[in-house]
Structures are given as C-alpha cells and as structure tokens.
Amino acid sequence: MKFLLIFIAIFHLSWSADLDWYKTASFYQVYPQSFYDGGGGSRQGFGTFEGIKKKLDYIKDLGIDCIWLTPIFESTYEALGYDITNYEEVDSRYGTEKGFEDLVKAIHEKGMKVIVDYVPNHCGVEHEFFKASVAKNATYDNWFVWANGTGPNGATPPSNWQHIGGPPYSAWNRHLNGVEIDRKEYYYAQFFWGMPDFNFREPAVRKYFEDFLRNWLSFGLDGFRIDAVSHGYEFVYPNGTYPDEPIKPGVTDPNDFGYLDHIYTQDQPELFELVYRWREILDEFNDTARIMMTESYSGPEVIMKYYRSADGKKKGAQLPFNFALIDKIRSDSKAQDFVDVINNWFKLLPDGEVTNWAIGNHDQSRVATRFGVERVEIFNTLVTMLPGTSVTYYGEEIGMEDACVFYNANRNLPGHRCNATYTPTTRARVRSPMQWDNTTNGGFSNNEPWLPVGEKYAIVNVAAQTGVPGSHLEIYRSLQKMRKHNAIKTSNLKDFKIVTMTENSFGFKREVEDVKQESVLVLINYGDRNESVTLDKLELFGSPKEVSLKIVGRKSELKIDSKMAIDKAVVLAPYESIVATYNHGISAVVISNMLLITMILALMNFNL
C-alpha cells in the first residue's frame, strides 16, 4: 500500500508540475513580421513562420520556455495585424497553415510552448461579419455596437466617448474611408475607425469566440495573450442609449485620452465573467496548463480581478499582465520607487497566484531608449530575478534601441527612415527588424524589409555579442540560466525581501527554506555614481559570512565567482546590477539535526 501511495504522490507531483509550468516560465515576445525573413510567406522583406522556425535554437539557447506571437491571422494590415479580417486563417504574409502547424510542432519539439495574440475586442472593417452588420444582415445585425446619433439629422455622436487618441476624434463613426455608410447609425470603434468593436452582449458573438478558442487550442496552441481585454464591454442603458463619461478632475487637456474618466468603456462587470468563462474552456484541455495572459492598463486593484472571482470559485487568467515597471518607473526614479512598486504589487496579489514582469512590448519604447543603454542589464535583471514569470520583447536581450522609422501610407509598401520634417511618434520605432548581424538589413532579409532596420544594427546585433563576456546578450543568457536555479524556481513571497540600500541602490533576496540549497541575492545601483552598500538590511538567513558573485555588470570591476564578505561594504559601480548566491550560515551539526528531525516527522506522518 505504501508503494502505491508513493507512486501516486510521484505521479501527482509530475502532473502538477506540468500544469504549473507557467509559474516560473520565461516568455519571449516575437513580432513575426520583424523577426526573420526565412521565406515561405507571400511577401518579401517580411518575417515568416519559416523564419521563426530557423531561429528556434537561438530562442531556446536564451533559456526561453514559451514563445508569444503577436497576431498571425488574416488582416488588411492597417493596424499591423490587429485589424483581423478572418479568425480562421493565418495571414499568407507569414506562410501557410501547414507552415504554422510545422512551426508549432517544431517549438514543442524544442521543449518550448507557444501562445498567440487573441484579439476579440474588435476586428477589421473588411471582415465579412462587419460588412454583413453594416448591411443589416439579420444574423450579424447586432454583432457590433451601433447607436443613433443625437441632434438634427443625428449628426452628433451618441456620446462623448473617445477614440484612444483622444478628442477631437470620437470613438463613434458612420463613415468608412470618408464615405457615409448606408446604415445611418454610428458604430463604436475604441481604437480607430478601421477596427469596430464587437458587441459581447450578443450571445452569438460570445459563442463565436468560444469556438475560436477551442479550435486553436485543438490545433496545439498552449494559450493566448488576450489583447485589449479591458475594453470588451461598454455600459448601455436599457433603452439602448449610451451615457457621456465624466471629465476627470485635474486633467485640463481635452486632447489627452485621460481627460475623461472611462467608467463606461473600460472594466465593466460583465467583462470578468467573460474571462472566467474563457478559463473554463482552456481548462477543458487538461493535458497541460493552457494559459491566458490578459492585457489591461487599468489600476492594480482592477487587474487582480482577472485572476479569479471575489469568492474564489471562478478561475480567470493565470497571468494578467503586470505593467507596473512600465507605468511607474522613470529614468529619474529612485531606489524607493522600485521597492514601493514591487512591494505594492505583491501586497495585492491573491494568495496562490503568480505575477509576471515586463519592461517592454510592441507598444512601448525600448528600454535602451527610455532609460539609457547602460541600464539594459538592470531591467533584464529585474524581469528575470523577481518572483513570477518573465516577459522579454525581442531585441531587448541585445539592447536594441528605437529606430527612427515610419510606416508608408500604404502598409503593403516598405516603410521609410525619418527625415528632417518627420517626428517619430508612431509605434513603428519599436517594431523594426531584429538585428542579427552587420550584413545588409541586419541579416533580417535579403530583400528590402517592410521597415528599415535600426541605425545601430552594425554594432548592436546578435553576432557581435555572441560569446563576448559582458555583452548584453551573454549577461541575459546568464540571467536566464540563473532562473533555473532552485532558489528562483521554488522560493515564494514569504522568502522574498526587497529593501533600499541608498538613495539610488536597492537589493532583494530569493531564499529557500531548505538549508542544503543556495539562496540568491540581487543588488542594483540605478544611479550614475558609485554606491557603497551593506547587506545587513536584507537579513540574510543564517547570517552567512560571504556570497559568491555569479553575474556582474558589463563594466564592473567585480569578478565572477569571486567572494564578497558580508561584513564589509560593497561598492556598486554606476548602473550596476549583480547576482550572487550564498549558503545559509548554519553549522553542519545543526543541519544534520534539522534533517534528522524532518525525517522522523515525515515517517511518523506517513505511518499515520
């Protein structure tokens, strides 16, 4: 009987580990059109499924567990893939469905998982569903958000709801390409007129997207990143009218999206029930955890609702996106700002759940541009060493910067470099091709790329940093290797502590209860001058006498594998981040006695 119980316990542990794979995973966001032109697509100079497949060894060698692909479905490309025109087919620019199937299979064979962007809030105006709705087709009449205008001839939009770009651009539209549509009502499009919002109050819409989830999960996907989830529902009165949103106190610029308090267009109560329903569908595929990562820039109290219902009976997203480092940290932030942001997030995190850390994505300026090249390691260290999952946007591992490029007015033509009269305000600057080497187009493509590569590609590229000690790439690889350390994989929040050391420096520890295992210490100097720090504030368990340095900054005078005495001050160079390990300073006799007591208690419990 005991052997049977042991077998069941071992089986349960291995099964649980598979179901919990995401809790310590490293995610790598690939923007497919900018990653690598490996052929197989319908357009030259464009990243493809085959190109991603050819770079899987590179991604695997980084230490990545899961690849996140931005939208791969058919699109007019007016919104760079987020204006989907067919949810059942992959876009030919990337390749064929067979090519995508081969890519998913290859990712799994490499021991990694793959998720894709799921864009349920809106589609492109060229989608057959929207065309049918414009024509008042009985089946699709209510699939989108329609409302009558007010005033003479209904010339005034139904409410003051804003397009994401802010006034004077109303989110209500009744023109397509400047031509008034036959249907006289206004349609609602939160992001821009070419992406009408679905009406999730319509049962047929909810069923369609449930079927979408099942179909692509059956295809072999390991989950989805849910785009713009907070915009899924809008408030509507029973008579079908929509209220104006109030002006937010203290905001004086009407061109600011924050000018209005978006209480009717974001985070409506029905939204969370929708997410909980989607989780039920993901859990139907119980061979391994199929996950949701939800994108919302709402406040942390709201984001926590995505995890599960208030009573804990309904599960939601495993990984609601955590944008705290993106939202709250600036180039002039101090150490206490980091400590507060991280501690405050953990205070709100529901028991038993894990968070994630991200420093960039396809909508955010790159780290090297926002904070300076010298701080790349600091943010890569935070993302990889803090408790939870890590999320890296392609190119951050080599310190890519924003490129001064812009889209051509016709998105099917290559973009252009900035000129003297152009201000690079578009998101094209953070979507430029991956910089593989110093050859033409940075090794991205032999053809003219859809966007020009960054100006520094000849010196900032994968080939130039591979095997070079102290390069961004090799430090990133070391950080990802350290993520496999037992202290990072198994320590929990009660073993985590982060404190300020000086005005510009802070540190945190990842300790484990097992005295036979090493714990991990991280020290960061965010400032531009040397900082002398002592480790007493961190209260290292067992009072060890020294730590062993495992990762140091690019320009550090400290040496890897050297020892650092606990009772002496440590000098951190400007912008330095270091990772060290240490053993608990407990004598062998104490350890032996603790192990003996643990074994006796375990045997007593087992016999019971």
Side-chain angles (χ1 to χ4, degrees):
M1 183 64 178
K2 289 183 179 180
F3 289 111
L4 177 59
L5 290 173
I6 292 172
F7 172 78
I8 292 174
I10 293 174
F11 177 80
H12 175 73
L13 287 173
S14 63
W15 180 261
S16 297
D18 192 36
L19 291 178
D20 293 342
W21 66 266
Y22 63 91
K23 291 187 175 180
T24 56
S26 294
F27 290 79
Y28 187 77
Q29 182 187 358
V30 170
Y31 197 59
Q33 57 265 47
S34 290
F35 199 60
Y36 184 58
D37 179 5
S42 64
R43 175 176 163 182
Q44 294 181 328
F46 202 82
T48 62
F49 297 141
E50 188 64 25
I52 297 170
K53 190 165 74 168
K54 290 177 180 178
K55 296 296 184 180
L56 289 183
D57 283 338
Y58 168 78
I59 298 174
K60 178 69 175 178
D61 289 344
L62 289 177
I64 299 302
D65 301 297
C66 183
I67 297 173
W68 156 28
L69 302 175
T70 50
I72 53 144
F73 306 105
E74 280 189 3
S75 164
T76 59
Y77 230 65
E78 285 298 313
L80 286 306
Y82 286 90
D83 54 327
I84 293 173
T85 55
N86 188 336
Y87 288 88
E88 282 87 52
E89 299 291 339
V90 299
D91 199 300
S92 63
R93 293 174 176 87
Y94 305 121
T96 63
E97 183 173 312
K98 178 62 166 59
F100 182 56
E101 182 181 356
D102 290 344
L103 173 60
V104 172
K105 181 180 178 181
I107 291 172
H108 287 155
E109 288 175 347
K110 294 288 183 182
M112 296 183 288
K113 298 184 183 294
V114 56
I115 66 174
V116 301
D117 260 2
Y118 170 45
V119 189
N121 180 70
H122 49 260
C123 66
V125 291
E126 294 300 317
H127 198 298
E128 292 303 318
F129 295 166
F130 184 66
K131 290 181 179 180
S133 189
V134 170
K136 289 198 171 186
N137 178 290
T139 301
Y140 298 101
D141 185 30
N142 200 39
W143 274 52
F144 297 86
V145 181
W146 294 96
N148 291 315
T150 62
N153 300 317
T156 302
S159 70
N160 68 346
W161 294 358
Q162 296 169 298
H163 166 275
I164 282 292
Y169 307 105
S170 172
W172 295 100
N173 309 269
R174 60 177 179 183
H175 292 77
L176 290 174
N177 295 313
V179 179
E180 185 170 304
I181 57 179
D182 292 335
R183 182 167 180 163
K184 299 305 180 182
E185 301 110 307
Y186 287 79
Y187 68 90
Y188 178 68
Q190 173 72 90
F191 289 91
F192 96 106
W193 66 264
M195 296 195 301
D197 281 41
F198 282 104
N199 175 20
F200 271 92
R201 299 186 187 282
E202 168 59 48
V205 172
R206 297 197 299 273
K207 183 181 184 305
Y208 176 81
F209 281 104
E210 289 178 7
D211 291 342
F212 168 90
L213 290 173
R214 288 192 180 94
N215 289 341
W216 286 101
L217 288 170
S218 298
F219 189 87
L221 296 180
D222 297 290
F224 302 91
R225 175 260 192 186
I226 315 296
D227 180 68
V229 69
S230 58
H231 303 279
Y233 276 88
E234 299 78 31
F235 180 86
V236 58
Y237 286 126
N239 65 359
T241 61
Y242 298 88
D244 283 347
E245 291 186 320
I247 296 174
K248 187 178 292 184
V251 182
T252 59
D253 182 7
N255 291 308
D256 185 341
F257 183 67
Y259 182 69
L260 297 180
D261 191 1
H262 303 290
I263 59 174
Y264 298 128
T265 55
Q266 295 182 16
D267 304 313
Q268 299 304 297
E270 301 93 333
L271 173 65
F272 303 101
E273 292 299 324
L274 184 68
V275 171
Y276 304 150
R277 172 58 184 151
W278 288 343
R279 174 62 183 271
E280 290 177 359
I281 293 170
L282 266 66
D283 286 348
E284 292 173 7
F285 297 77
N286 58 7
D287 53 333
T288 183
R290 307 296 181 99
I291 69 160
M292 273 193 292
M293 302 179 82
T294 48
E295 182 206 28
S296 171
Y297 284 89
S298 301
E301 293 83 0
V302 173
I303 291 175
M304 298 305 160
K305 296 180 182 179
Y306 288 106
Y307 279 106
R308 61 193 187 210
S309 60
D311 60 9
K313 294 181 179 180
K314 298 178 182 178
K315 297 178 181 179
Q318 292 95 333
L319 296 170
F321 256 109
N322 172 3
F323 295 126
L325 294 177
I326 293 174
D327 286 343
K328 302 296 184 182
I329 298 302
R330 302 291 181 264
S331 59
D332 60 351
S333 293
K334 303 300 181 183
Q336 192 61 47
D337 297 321
F338 285 89
V339 173
D340 290 344
V341 165
I342 293 166
N343 277 336
N344 290 341
W345 196 270
F346 284 139
K347 286 177 183 177
L348 293 171
L349 189 67
D351 291 341
E353 304 292 354
V354 296
T355 190
N356 55 90
W357 300 96
I359 49 173
N361 56 40
H362 57 291
D363 292 328
Q364 305 294 332
S365 188
R366 288 189 174 275
V367 169
T369 298
R370 269 184 290 157
F371 304 107
V373 175
E374 63 276 1
R375 284 178 167 144
V376 167
E377 272 66 58
I378 289 177
F379 287 95
N380 281 338
T381 298
L382 286 171
V383 164
T384 53
M385 293 293 103
L386 285 170
T389 64
S390 73
V391 184
T392 299
Y393 185 48
Y394 80 97
E396 296 291 8
E397 73 273 20
I398 61 172
M400 279 176 60
E401 299 177 52
D402 291 0
C404 197
V405 299
F406 63 100
Y407 305 124
N408 191 289
N410 179 347
R411 299 296 171 87
N412 288 315
L413 296 176
H416 298 282
R417 292 207 178 279
C418 300
N419 55 42
T421 62
Y422 178 76
T423 302
T425 57
T426 74
R427 286 173 289 184
R429 67 187 188 279
V430 300
R431 303 180 183 189
S432 59
M434 180 67 175
Q435 296 163 194
W436 294 105
D437 55 41
N438 64 0
T439 61
T440 303
N441 300 324
F444 165 72
S445 178
N446 293 326
N447 303 294
E448 183 178 12
W450 79 284
L451 279 180
V453 295
E455 291 79 359
K456 296 183 180 179
Y457 78 89
I459 55 175
V460 180
N461 61 67
V462 171
Q465 296 184 25
T466 298
V468 178
S471 67
H472 294 306
L473 178 59
E474 294 305 331
I475 291 178
Y476 181 86
R477 283 176 169 154
S478 296
L479 288 166
Q480 287 291 357
K481 184 176 181 180
M482 181 61 70
R483 273 185 66 80
K484 307 302 188 284
H485 193 286
N486 189 62
I488 305 299
K489 298 290 276 188
T490 64
S491 66
N492 53 43
L493 288 183
K494 73 182 183 66
D495 303 309
F496 172 80
K497 184 175 183 179
I498 181 169
V499 298
T500 57
M501 318 291 280
T502 66
E503 182 183 34
N504 289 313
S505 64
F506 60 98
F508 58 87
K509 61 179 182 178
R510 303 289 307 275
E511 286 187 332
V512 288
E513 295 178 351
D514 188 344
V515 295
K516 297 181 296 181
Q517 300 287 337
E518 288 182 324
S519 290
V520 173
L521 168 70
V522 176
L523 299 176
I524 290 174
N525 176 13
Y526 194 66
D528 60 359
R529 63 178 183 271
N530 287 343
E531 296 285 350
S532 179
V533 303
T534 56
L535 306 182
D536 55 315
K537 285 186 177 181
L538 282 166
E539 300 175 341
L540 303 183
F541 177 61
S543 301
K545 294 182 178 180
E546 61 184 15
V547 298
S548 178
L549 299 180
K550 298 301 180 183
I551 303 173
V552 300
R554 288 189 303 135
K555 299 180 180 179
S556 178
E557 295 184 3
L558 301 171
K559 303 298 181 184
I560 293 176
D561 291 329
S562 63
K563 305 297 182 182
M564 189 166 66
I566 295 295
D567 59 355
K568 295 182 180 179
V570 179
V571 177
L572 299 177
Y575 312 116
E576 176 147 48
S577 56
I578 68 172
V579 180
T581 58
Y582 58 95
N583 291 306
H584 304 305
I586 302 178
S587 68
V589 174
V590 173
I591 293 176
S592 178
N593 289 337
M594 290 176 66
L595 289 174
L596 180 60
I597 292 171
T598 301
M599 290 175 62
I600 291 172
L601 291 173
L603 287 172
M604 291 174 62
N605 185 59
F606 191 81
N607 287 324
L608 289 175

